[in-house]
Amino acid sequence: MSKQTWLTGITTSGTPHLGNYVGAIRPAVEASHNHEQEGFYFLADYHALIKNQDPALLRQSRLEISAAWLALGLDTEHSTFYRQSDIPEIPELTWILTCLTAKGLMNRAHAYKAVVQDNLDNGASDPDKGITMGLFGYPILMSADILMFKATHVPVGRDQVQHLEMARDIAQRFNHHYGEHLVLPQVVVDERGSVLQGLDGRKMSKSYGNTIPLFESSKKLRKSIMKIKTNSQEPGEPKDPDGNTVFDIYKAFASDEQCAALAEAYAQGIAWGEAKQQLFELVDGVLSEPRERYDELMANPAQIDAVLAQGALKAREHSRPFLEQLRRAVGVA
Ligand code: TRP
């Protein structure tokens, strides 16, 4: 079998939270240490621009998210770590793919449809109210990210699975027209709980304002965890771990034995406060060392940018010749 290429990106639109860690950062860090495969890990700052038009926030988020990946041990020697906007070949490929992509395919994107549905529910006169072409074409930019580096495996949260199907569709269409240039990527969903629940039990997401930040102080982390919404069951009442947010997050960090022990404690009627305390201790233990490295990096942003600049050079060794090949294939070169 030929060498696998793993690639994933994270949108730089906020402070990294536990959901990002479980869904994207942890699998990427683990994969980056596997030298059997090639790894590309990047900051999707052009994706962030779709929803965020605050330049200072965008910059801050880029630093925080890069620092998080580095602090958690991403192997930047064996893998390539860069930011999307440093690779001009990506938007060039995006345009080439845009010219091949059926509008109908984009009409079916869940993220787009959700906004249209909101507009309809709110009685807006235009169902496309507030929707930019950036949002509409989001899956095409994401396809370019993936196809540019011939990724074979793309680890993402479950909510991104449709985008991967679209990337395959678009690649197939390109290959059908122009010959077998693009590699069809395969989605990898981390079953340990790649979509984590947030404070209110919905998916942990910046857009719901229900996140637990990855690198706040121990004290603040405890406070956040104590805010997780639970039901009104009293201590002593047996509790159901299924679908319970505290358990959901615990599971994403714990070993099988630890999970079994907490499930047993639930059956015995553990108090919510105590379950949360156990969750805090577990998560705090995992994050305390990386937290120190994170603080050091954030105090020295030039160091972060130097790592990213190095990564961009490495990434462009792939993207430049490959885009040239694609430009020839479509007839603009
Ligand atoms: N859309 C992804 C998310 O929101 C981020 C992303 C952008 C990505 N480009 C990508 C993920 C390419 C994997 C591959 O989580």
Side-chain angles (χ1 to χ4, degrees), residues 7-11 42 44 47 138 142 145-146 154-156 160 163:
L7 173 145
T8 199
I10 182 166
T11 309
F42 71 96
H47 277 107
Y138 184 112
M142 182 159 161
D145 291 333
I146 296 168
V154 182
V156 284
Q160 297 292 316
H163 291 149

Side-chain angles (χ1 to χ4, degrees), residues 101-237:
T101 303
K103 176 171 175 288
L105 184 67
M106 296 298 99
N107 286 343
R108 290 193 285 280
H110 301 316
Y112 166 68
K113 274 169 55 179
V115 184
V116 171
Q117 194 56 51
D118 267 0
N119 281 336
L120 294 174
D121 293 348
N122 297 325
S125 54
D126 179 0
D128 280 334
K129 182 172 172 242
I131 296 170
T132 63
M133 289 307 293
L135 178 67
F136 191 63
Y138 184 112
I140 313 178
L141 177 57
M142 182 159 161
S143 300
D145 291 333
I146 296 168
L147 301 173
M148 187 84 255
F149 295 100
K150 303 179 185 159
T152 58
H153 293 73
V154 182
V156 284
R158 232 169 261 134
D159 59 317
Q160 297 292 316
V161 170
Q162 190 195 29
H163 291 149
L164 260 293
E165 284 162 7
M166 290 177 160
R168 292 172 63 91
D169 252 25
I170 293 171
Q172 258 165 334
R173 206 191 261 236
F174 184 101
N175 289 348
H176 179 74
H177 268 280
Y178 298 115
E180 293 292 317
H181 294 274
L182 300 177
V183 174
L184 266 51
Q186 151 182 345
V187 68
V188 182
V189 176
D190 186 333
E191 291 302 340
R192 273 176 306 183
S194 57
V195 176
L196 213 58
Q197 293 179 19
L199 295 175
D200 58 0
R202 292 187 291 173
K203 174 197 167 189
M204 189 180 290
S205 160
K206 194 185 122 341
S207 28
Y208 294 146
N210 64 356
T211 62
I212 301 176
L214 246 190
F215 289 126
E216 49 188 9
S217 66
S218 211
K219 210 171 137 194
K220 281 200 181 146
L221 175 65
R222 187 169 181 284
K223 244 179 138 170
S224 294
I225 287 177
M226 291 298 158
K227 276 193 218 142
I228 296 172
K229 210 156 109 190
T230 48
N231 61 26
S232 54
Q233 283 183 303
E234 298 289 336
E237 275 184 72

Side-chain angles (χ1 to χ4, degrees), residues 73-88:
L74 187 79
D75 182 342
T76 55
E77 287 296 308
H78 288 92
S79 66
T80 306
F81 181 55
Y82 55 98
R83 61 170 169 154
Q84 186 186 36
S85 66
D86 278 338
I87 317 298

